[in-house]
Amino acid sequence: MMPPPPTIDGVVWRAAVADDAEAIEELQAACFAVDDTFIETAAEIADRFESPIADADTDTLVAVRSDGSIVASLWCELVPNPVGTWKVYEDNYIHPEYRTPQICEFALRWWIERGAQRTAGIDPALPVRYHQHVYPKQEAHRDLLVANGFTPSMFLDELRRDLAEPIGTAEVPSGFRLVPFDEVPSVEALAVRNDAFRDHRGSQPWTIEMWESRSMEMHRPDASFAVMDGGRPVSYVMCAAYPQEWEKRGYSEGWIEGVGTARSHRGRGFASLLVTRAMTAFRDAGLEYATLGVDSENPTGAVGIYERLGFRKVRRMVNYTLTVEGVN
């Protein structure tokens, strides 16, 4: 049974609608000031209303004040077509001034129960793994998760590279071509992504619907490339930039959001080539840093590759999980 939302003077709880995008952006900015996480633009948030991993009518809940501002935004996101385990993610924000134990506990319980409802309605026999990412400044939220049975399952390092330092060059190996990533058909790009991440911890294959619905509002086509072997892609880098955060962070940066190489083509230096080209594009666009996130125990040796390219760890995010066994 879904827990009833707490009563808050002057606040109404309801499902989110696309017109809430700007108010949710403002909520994220208030959370960013104390949590040092990130801020989506209203356009990025609006894109989420078309995502296949959450139906806004049933999988969201917002707390709205009479002036239209939003003080809590809860999203329950479910990865479709699971392999062995359902994976449930959150995209939850609570305004710092409203983070009472009652509201924070409710937000967590609502998200877990909604995930249970969604998975039970499709395949209740599979175990359900609930995932929440915790940043270094979110100590209170970490304590809440631990108190509710969550444990650390993965450590994700944020690495940064000063683009004022020499970048060097990287040549495309003979027999291969480098093309803009946006020239690669979605089906072919997705095939490389899924193959590249098959052996990563807890990775689930994306569907074409997930791939095509991902937000491209902040995508940087000038820094995103693919390596082609004949007529098919075998490696790629996807990049983005989030200028809405630069003033608050005190510097500009480009994000290397995805690097993947088909398993048949590993060991040829494609990751180094693509990251080098992305950094060069960022530098040429006037950005100060390149940033990326990586599993600290990445099985492909990615951490070592990035360190050799000049990246250094600046902070660590922890993925906390709770696994609930399925019902046969």
Side-chain angles (χ1 to χ4, degrees):
M1 178 181 293
M2 297 296 290
T7 300
I8 308 173
D9 289 343
V11 169
V12 174
W13 293 88
R14 60 165 173 78
V17 296
D19 287 345
D20 291 328
E22 290 188 3
I24 294 174
E25 178 185 5
E26 293 175 1
L27 169 62
Q28 287 189 13
C31 293
F32 178 93
V34 298
D35 298 331
D36 191 19
T37 51
F38 57 87
I39 309 170
E40 293 176 287
T41 66
E44 291 178 278
I45 295 166
D47 285 344
R48 288 207 261 116
F49 287 86
E50 304 299 324
S51 171
I53 63 177
D55 181 339
D57 291 340
T58 56
D59 305 327
T60 69
L61 192 65
V62 291
V64 188
R65 298 200 311 182
S66 58
D67 62 1
S69 61
I70 290 178
V71 297
S73 173
L74 314 179
W75 292 66
C76 178
E77 300 174 337
L78 178 67
V79 178
N81 299 335
V83 177
T85 304
W86 287 112
K87 299 184 75 172
V88 180
Y89 291 93
E90 54 81 32
D91 199 2
N92 298 343
Y93 296 88
I94 300 173
H95 194 286
E97 295 178 3
Y98 286 78
R99 292 179 185 174
T100 65
Q102 180 188 26
I103 293 175
C104 292
E105 182 73 30
F106 162 75
L108 181 62
R109 300 313 308 172
W110 176 90
W111 171 70
I112 292 173
E113 183 58 32
R114 182 60 195 136
Q117 288 182 342
R118 295 185 67 186
T119 57
I122 307 171
D123 188 346
L126 287 181
V128 183
R129 175 165 280 198
Y130 297 89
H131 294 257
Q132 293 216 11
H133 292 157
V134 178
Y135 286 80
K137 293 185 177 181
Q138 294 179 304
E139 296 95 341
H141 186 58
R142 175 202 61 207
D143 293 344
L144 174 64
L145 293 176
V146 171
N148 281 272
F150 284 74
T151 57
S153 63
M154 187 181 300
F155 298 93
L156 303 169
D157 290 336
E158 185 174 306
L159 310 182
R160 187 168 301 136
R161 205 314 187 149
D162 187 345
L163 299 177
E165 298 296 326
I167 294 175
T169 60
E171 299 300 324
V172 181
S174 176
F176 297 91
R177 293 182 297 120
L178 192 71
V179 302
F181 179 78
D182 291 357
E183 292 183 5
V184 178
S186 292
V187 172
E188 296 178 18
L190 176 59
V192 178
R193 184 268 169 206
N194 284 343
D195 183 61
F197 287 92
R198 268 194 297 163
D199 51 4
H200 285 220
R201 290 190 297 165
S203 179
Q204 296 267 24
W206 282 28
T207 64
I208 190 64
E209 292 79 15
M210 291 172 62
W211 182 264
E212 292 187 335
S213 69
R214 70 194 192 284
S215 178
M216 299 293 283
E217 299 293 341
M218 315 311 290
H219 175 57
R220 289 295 298 250
D222 61 319
S224 301
F225 306 97
V227 174
M228 306 294 290
D229 183 356
R232 71 184 183 102
V234 295
S235 189
Y236 70 91
V237 62
M238 293 190 301
C239 295
Y242 303 94
Q244 68 269 23
E245 299 175 358
W246 293 349
E247 181 176 356
K248 295 179 176 64
R249 294 195 185 280
Y251 54 85
S252 60
E253 64 181 344
W255 269 85
I256 297 172
E257 299 224 312
V259 182
T261 300
R263 298 202 295 180
S264 60
H265 285 69
R266 287 179 183 167
R268 307 190 190 202
F270 291 142
S272 296
L273 162 69
L274 290 166
V275 172
T276 297
R277 293 297 180 97
M279 290 193 296
T280 300
F282 287 152
R283 182 199 61 196
D284 292 348
L287 304 187
E288 297 171 271
Y289 293 92
T291 308
L292 56 83
V294 62
D295 177 358
S296 64
E297 298 180 12
N298 184 291
T300 65
V303 175
I305 292 172
Y306 300 140
E307 289 178 342
R308 287 192 292 274
L309 291 172
F311 285 85
R312 298 292 179 263
K313 185 173 76 173
V314 292
R315 63 176 176 172
R316 170 167 285 182
M317 179 177 67
V318 183
N319 182 34
Y320 281 82
T321 58
L322 173 70
T323 301
V324 178
E325 295 302 322
V327 178
N328 293 316

